[in-house]
């Protein structure tokens, strides 16, 4: 049980440090590698399909007027299938602001 707590603390520290540094490669590994290796179907349902849906909704919002706030978990913001990358591939300019 003590080892599990230490591992969780270490993992959380690694996550926070990667996020603070803008290290999207490490974040992608932390959030997605294990899930993709273990069960691609679960990854598709929890990450990929939701990201595609959000990118579609964001694109619709971007075509309107006014402002919008969109909140997603950090795991949806990184990697090849992350929402920012999907929007970039659709021609939008996406930047990380600290």
């Amino acid at each position: 049980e003590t080892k599990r707590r230490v591992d969780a603390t270490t993992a959380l520290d690694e996550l926070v440090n990667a996020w603070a540094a803008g290290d999207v490669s490490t974040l992608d590994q932390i959030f997605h590698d294990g899930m993709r290796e273990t069960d691609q179907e679960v990854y598709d349902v929890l990450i990929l399909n939701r990201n595609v849906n959000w990118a579609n909704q964001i694109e619709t919002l971007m075509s309107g007027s006014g402002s919008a706030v969109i909140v997603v978990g950090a795991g949806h913001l990184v990697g090849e299938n992350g929402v920012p990358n999907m929007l970039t591939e659709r021609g939008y300019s996406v930047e990380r602001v600290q």
Side-chain angles (χ1 to χ4, degrees):
E1 189 171 325
T2 302
K3 183 175 180 358
R4 185 177 296 151
R5 284 188 189 142
V6 170
D7 290 344
T9 300
T10 301
L12 182 59
D13 287 345
E14 183 180 355
L15 176 69
V16 169
N17 291 336
W19 181 258
D23 183 354
V24 294
S25 177
T26 298
L27 289 168
D28 185 34
Q29 290 174 331
I30 292 169
F31 285 118
H32 302 142
D33 280 359
M35 193 183 317
R36 284 188 294 241
E37 291 169 5
T38 305
D39 194 335
Q40 182 68 41
E41 186 176 345
V42 169
Y43 172 79
D44 290 349
V45 169
L46 293 179
I47 303 296
L48 180 60
N49 296 346
R50 292 168 74 194
N51 288 357
V52 169
N53 185 40
W54 282 327
N56 291 339
Q57 291 179 31
I58 292 167
E59 191 166 30
T60 299
L61 286 171
M62 297 294 288
S63 67
S65 63
S67 300
V69 174
I70 301 158
V71 180
V72 299
H76 297 282
L77 299 175
V78 297
E80 179 181 343
N81 295 319
V83 173
N85 192 56
M86 288 181 178
L87 293 172
T88 298
E89 289 176 350
R90 296 175 185 201
Y92 291 93
S93 176
V94 178
E95 63 182 76
R96 179 180 182 264
V97 179
Q98 294 187 12

